[in-house]
Amino acid sequence: MNMRFLDACWGKPVDRTPVWLMRQAGRYLPEYRAIRSKCTFLELCKTPELAAEVSIQPVEILGVDAAIMFSDILTPVEPMGMKLDFVPGPVFENPIRSMKDVEKLRIPEMEQDVPYVLETIKILRRELAGKVPLIGFGGAPFTLACYMVEGKGSKDFAEIKRMMYGAPDVYAALMEKVTTMDMEYLNAQIKAGAQAIQIFDTWGGVLSPSDYASYVLPYTTRLINGLDRQNIPVIHFVKGSGSMLDTVKLAGGDVMGLDWHVNLGHARDIIGPQMAVQGNLDPTVLFAPKTFIESEVARVLAENAGRPGHIFNLGHGIMPSASPENAKFMVDCVHRLSQK
Ligand code: CP3
């Protein structure tokens, strides 16, 4: 078993810097599109054999040091009672706007309501045995609430902020419920065999540092504290966290995910040596010529300056138009340039 990824999560020394890519199972791979062309995205998420197959594709094609199970952050929100569609971005037919809407939300029974997620994990653990560790994941409560309140992706997040500032009791009731769901969902993934957990807070950075501290931090902290994680590292990725790393760190977790707007070395100086970091190549660098990709990989490795506890990754998900060849070249560069 390739232990580089888990060792680096715990800040242990490794022979080469481990690397995986956020959103590594997806549309940039022709092998993914071949499977996806025969069903909808939600059908793919709900068919464990197929979900497991697309999770393994990047491990074999790119040679990454970890697999991430194939699903979506919104998968467990649907059984809370919200009608979900992907077009391809997520859309909820009836967004949450009132206390009555929040009261109607139920906390799913994970074994009954999302059995396909747990089954995907079990299949993956069998198929990945002796290869690489398996990462489970969920959205952070705030990012899930953004989609539930906005009803879809947003540029200004006006509806969630309107609720946050204008109806703080509704916002708090929603966040409490989503946090409880998330905790049970991630604990069910751990029980099914996930070997690490990544929490995606894609939209945490749309708030000011003080709003983040008031309206997000208490919930993510409760979530991370509530995970059954004796031997399960937790990666906390807040996109846009560069100006509030000291605050985000307070949520806990073992690894801080970094986007590309921060210098990884400066970020480590602020975060301190107790926490590992993951990141942080600009995803658009994969569109550049190979010589440029290589020098950018070298730059990120140099910023880390040999400190233990670095997992190489992009600073956000790989783009659907990225080239698999360049992605593989990047992975090879990380391994070659970091070899001890
Ligand atoms: O490889 C992996 O990382 C595992 C699979 C995964 C998906 N979504 C599959 C997916 C993961 C970890 C996610 C997380 C996710 N989903 C996030 C957090 C990470 C991030 O990118 O910020 C968010 C915000 C979502 C919500 C979501 N799902 C959006 C905005 C979209 C559409 C646009 C897009 O980026 O693709 C989706 C759909 C989705 N989720 C697809 C995939 C492969 C594309 C669906 C398709 O095949 O048509």
Side-chain angles (χ1 to χ4, degrees), residues 1-2 32 53 61 78 80 132 152 176 196 201 204 219 275 278 281 297 304 306 309:
M1 163 90 148
N2 170 351
Y32 169 84
E53 188 176 341
I61 297 164
E78 188 182 46
M80 292 183 85
V132 296
K152 54 184 185 328
E176 281 299 337
D201 207 350
Y219 302 99
M275 221 176 162
Q278 176 176 280
L281 192 71
V297 168
N304 185 59

mmCIF file of all heavy atoms in Angstrom, residues 1-2 32 53 61 78 80 132 152 176 196 201 204 219 275 278 281 297 304 306 309:
data_model
loop_
_atom_site.group_PDB
_atom_site.id
_atom_site.type_symbol
_atom_site.label_atom_id
_atom_site.label_comp_id
_atom_site.label_asym_id
_atom_site.label_seq_id
_atom_site.Cartn_x
_atom_site.Cartn_y
_atom_site.Cartn_z
ATOM 1 N N MET A 1 0.846 -1.208 0.000
ATOM 2 C CA MET A 1 0.000 0.000 0.000
ATOM 3 C C MET A 1 0.883 1.260 0.000
ATOM 4 O O MET A 1 1.804 1.379 0.798
ATOM 5 C CB MET A 1 -0.885 -0.054 1.255
ATOM 6 C CG MET A 1 -1.505 1.258 1.623
ATOM 7 S SD MET A 1 -3.088 1.477 0.845
ATOM 8 C CE MET A 1 -3.878 2.429 2.115
ATOM 9 N N ASN A 2 0.571 2.163 -0.906
ATOM 10 C CA ASN A 2 1.271 3.442 -0.991
ATOM 11 C C ASN A 2 0.764 4.334 0.145
ATOM 12 O O ASN A 2 -0.368 4.787 0.138
ATOM 13 C CB ASN A 2 0.978 4.035 -2.376
ATOM 14 C CG ASN A 2 1.439 5.474 -2.522
ATOM 15 O OD1 ASN A 2 1.832 6.122 -1.552
ATOM 16 N ND2 ASN A 2 1.374 5.971 -3.739
ATOM 17 N N TYR A 32 -13.970 8.828 -18.361
ATOM 18 C CA TYR A 32 -15.140 9.231 -17.553
ATOM 19 C C TYR A 32 -16.321 9.528 -18.475
ATOM 20 O O TYR A 32 -17.431 9.048 -18.276
ATOM 21 C CB TYR A 32 -14.818 10.461 -16.697
ATOM 22 C CG TYR A 32 -16.050 11.077 -16.041
ATOM 23 C CD1 TYR A 32 -16.547 10.576 -14.843
ATOM 24 C CD2 TYR A 32 -16.733 12.148 -16.639
ATOM 25 C CE1 TYR A 32 -17.680 11.125 -14.247
ATOM 26 C CE2 TYR A 32 -17.869 12.696 -16.050
ATOM 27 C CZ TYR A 32 -18.330 12.186 -14.856
ATOM 28 O OH TYR A 32 -19.451 12.721 -14.274
ATOM 29 N N GLU A 53 -15.836 2.605 -10.420
ATOM 30 C CA GLU A 53 -14.990 2.540 -11.620
ATOM 31 C C GLU A 53 -14.419 3.922 -11.977
ATOM 32 O O GLU A 53 -13.222 4.051 -12.247
ATOM 33 C CB GLU A 53 -15.814 1.986 -12.797
ATOM 34 C CG GLU A 53 -14.969 1.710 -14.029
ATOM 35 C CD GLU A 53 -15.762 1.073 -15.167
ATOM 36 O OE1 GLU A 53 -16.858 0.521 -14.922
ATOM 37 O OE2 GLU A 53 -15.264 1.154 -16.309
ATOM 38 N N ILE A 61 -4.774 6.163 -14.507
ATOM 39 C CA ILE A 61 -4.351 6.980 -15.647
ATOM 40 C C ILE A 61 -3.269 7.993 -15.246
ATOM 41 O O ILE A 61 -2.315 8.219 -15.979
ATOM 42 C CB ILE A 61 -5.573 7.686 -16.282
ATOM 43 C CG1 ILE A 61 -6.551 6.633 -16.837
ATOM 44 C CG2 ILE A 61 -5.147 8.648 -17.385
ATOM 45 C CD1 ILE A 61 -7.934 7.156 -17.146
ATOM 46 N N GLU A 78 -30.208 15.853 -0.994
ATOM 47 C CA GLU A 78 -31.447 15.416 -1.659
ATOM 48 C C GLU A 78 -32.371 14.677 -0.685
ATOM 49 O O GLU A 78 -33.537 15.047 -0.548
ATOM 50 C CB GLU A 78 -31.100 14.561 -2.877
ATOM 51 C CG GLU A 78 -32.283 14.219 -3.738
ATOM 52 C CD GLU A 78 -31.901 13.331 -4.924
ATOM 53 O OE1 GLU A 78 -31.164 12.337 -4.731
ATOM 54 O OE2 GLU A 78 -32.351 13.641 -6.035
ATOM 55 N N MET A 80 -32.638 15.022 2.365
ATOM 56 C CA MET A 80 -33.169 15.916 3.418
ATOM 57 C C MET A 80 -34.546 16.425 3.018
ATOM 58 O O MET A 80 -35.250 17.040 3.822
ATOM 59 C CB MET A 80 -32.231 17.117 3.650
ATOM 60 C CG MET A 80 -30.895 16.737 4.270
ATOM 61 S SD MET A 80 -29.862 18.190 4.612
ATOM 62 C CE MET A 80 -30.477 18.678 6.235
ATOM 63 N N VAL A 132 -3.735 2.497 -3.225
ATOM 64 C CA VAL A 132 -3.687 3.824 -2.574
ATOM 65 C C VAL A 132 -4.866 3.976 -1.618
ATOM 66 O O VAL A 132 -5.870 3.288 -1.749
ATOM 67 C CB VAL A 132 -3.713 4.959 -3.635
ATOM 68 C CG1 VAL A 132 -2.487 4.918 -4.521
ATOM 69 C CG2 VAL A 132 -4.994 4.911 -4.451
ATOM 70 N N LYS A 152 -29.092 27.370 -6.523
ATOM 71 C CA LYS A 152 -28.145 27.030 -7.598
ATOM 72 C C LYS A 152 -26.841 27.781 -7.330
ATOM 73 O O LYS A 152 -26.747 28.472 -6.305
ATOM 74 C CB LYS A 152 -28.721 27.418 -8.965
ATOM 75 C CG LYS A 152 -29.164 28.878 -9.095
ATOM 76 C CD LYS A 152 -29.797 29.071 -10.444
ATOM 77 C CE LYS A 152 -30.215 30.443 -10.846
ATOM 78 N NZ LYS A 152 -30.672 31.450 -9.981
ATOM 79 N N GLU A 176 -27.485 24.536 11.824
ATOM 80 C CA GLU A 176 -27.486 23.462 12.834
ATOM 81 C C GLU A 176 -27.896 22.134 12.196
ATOM 82 O O GLU A 176 -27.260 21.100 12.402
ATOM 83 C CB GLU A 176 -28.470 23.783 13.973
ATOM 84 C CG GLU A 176 -27.958 24.779 14.995
ATOM 85 C CD GLU A 176 -26.693 24.316 15.719
ATOM 86 O OE1 GLU A 176 -26.419 23.102 15.779
ATOM 87 O OE2 GLU A 176 -25.958 25.207 16.200
ATOM 88 N N ALA A 196 -9.585 8.845 4.841
ATOM 89 C CA ALA A 196 -9.338 10.272 5.112
ATOM 90 C C ALA A 196 -10.622 10.965 4.705
ATOM 91 O O ALA A 196 -11.415 10.412 3.930
ATOM 92 C CB ALA A 196 -8.156 10.789 4.290
ATOM 93 N N ASP A 201 -15.106 23.574 1.511
ATOM 94 C CA ASP A 201 -15.846 24.821 1.737
ATOM 95 C C ASP A 201 -15.541 25.774 0.586
ATOM 96 O O ASP A 201 -14.806 26.754 0.720
ATOM 97 C CB ASP A 201 -15.520 25.453 3.099
ATOM 98 C CG ASP A 201 -16.688 26.296 3.606
ATOM 99 O OD1 ASP A 201 -17.637 26.520 2.821
ATOM 100 O OD2 ASP A 201 -16.662 26.721 4.771
ATOM 101 N N GLY A 204 -16.652 29.475 1.381
ATOM 102 C CA GLY A 204 -16.308 30.137 2.654
ATOM 103 C C GLY A 204 -15.597 31.469 2.444
ATOM 104 O O GLY A 204 -15.745 32.393 3.251
ATOM 105 N N TYR A 219 -19.814 26.266 13.126
ATOM 106 C CA TYR A 219 -20.436 25.055 12.578
ATOM 107 C C TYR A 219 -19.385 24.081 12.062
ATOM 108 O O TYR A 219 -19.458 22.879 12.320
ATOM 109 C CB TYR A 219 -21.434 25.446 11.477
ATOM 110 C CG TYR A 219 -22.496 26.386 12.009
ATOM 111 C CD1 TYR A 219 -22.394 27.766 11.802
ATOM 112 C CD2 TYR A 219 -23.557 25.910 12.761
ATOM 113 C CE1 TYR A 219 -23.346 28.635 12.309
ATOM 114 C CE2 TYR A 219 -24.520 26.777 13.274
ATOM 115 C CZ TYR A 219 -24.404 28.135 13.048
ATOM 116 O OH TYR A 219 -25.334 29.000 13.564
ATOM 117 N N MET A 275 0.141 21.587 11.681
ATOM 118 C CA MET A 275 -0.855 21.219 10.683
ATOM 119 C C MET A 275 -0.193 21.034 9.322
ATOM 120 O O MET A 275 0.651 21.843 8.931
ATOM 121 C CB MET A 275 -1.887 22.349 10.605
ATOM 122 C CG MET A 275 -3.300 21.869 10.479
ATOM 123 S SD MET A 275 -4.447 23.256 10.523
ATOM 124 C CE MET A 275 -5.853 22.416 9.825
ATOM 125 N N GLN A 278 -2.215 21.220 2.014
ATOM 126 C CA GLN A 278 -2.474 20.596 0.719
ATOM 127 C C GLN A 278 -2.662 21.687 -0.333
ATOM 128 O O GLN A 278 -3.445 22.605 -0.143
ATOM 129 C CB GLN A 278 -3.731 19.737 0.819
ATOM 130 C CG GLN A 278 -4.145 19.106 -0.510
ATOM 131 C CD GLN A 278 -5.339 18.185 -0.353
ATOM 132 O OE1 GLN A 278 -5.173 17.059 0.062
ATOM 133 N NE2 GLN A 278 -6.516 18.659 -0.668
ATOM 134 N N LEU A 281 -1.328 24.534 -6.678
ATOM 135 C CA LEU A 281 -1.045 24.977 -8.049
ATOM 136 C C LEU A 281 -2.312 25.545 -8.690
ATOM 137 O O LEU A 281 -3.372 24.929 -8.613
ATOM 138 C CB LEU A 281 -0.549 23.765 -8.857
ATOM 139 C CG LEU A 281 0.073 24.037 -10.214
ATOM 140 C CD1 LEU A 281 1.441 24.694 -10.052
ATOM 141 C CD2 LEU A 281 0.220 22.735 -10.983
ATOM 142 N N VAL A 297 5.507 23.584 -10.725
ATOM 143 C CA VAL A 297 5.564 22.512 -9.714
ATOM 144 C C VAL A 297 6.798 22.736 -8.836
ATOM 145 O O VAL A 297 6.724 22.670 -7.598
ATOM 146 C CB VAL A 297 5.608 21.107 -10.371
ATOM 147 C CG1 VAL A 297 5.969 20.025 -9.356
ATOM 148 C CG2 VAL A 297 4.274 20.782 -11.034
ATOM 149 N N ASN A 304 7.425 25.159 -0.194
ATOM 150 C CA ASN A 304 7.289 24.280 0.977
ATOM 151 C C ASN A 304 8.641 24.050 1.647
ATOM 152 O O ASN A 304 8.707 23.801 2.848
ATOM 153 C CB ASN A 304 6.666 22.938 0.579
ATOM 154 C CG ASN A 304 6.418 22.080 1.794
ATOM 155 O OD1 ASN A 304 5.692 22.483 2.696
ATOM 156 N ND2 ASN A 304 7.068 20.916 1.868
ATOM 157 N N GLY A 306 10.861 21.674 1.738
ATOM 158 C CA GLY A 306 11.213 20.408 2.379
ATOM 159 C C GLY A 306 10.521 20.148 3.706
ATOM 160 O O GLY A 306 10.809 19.143 4.363
ATOM 161 N N GLY A 309 4.723 17.125 5.815
ATOM 162 C CA GLY A 309 3.319 17.510 5.877
ATOM 163 C C GLY A 309 2.883 18.364 4.712
ATOM 164 O O GLY A 309 2.164 19.338 4.877
#
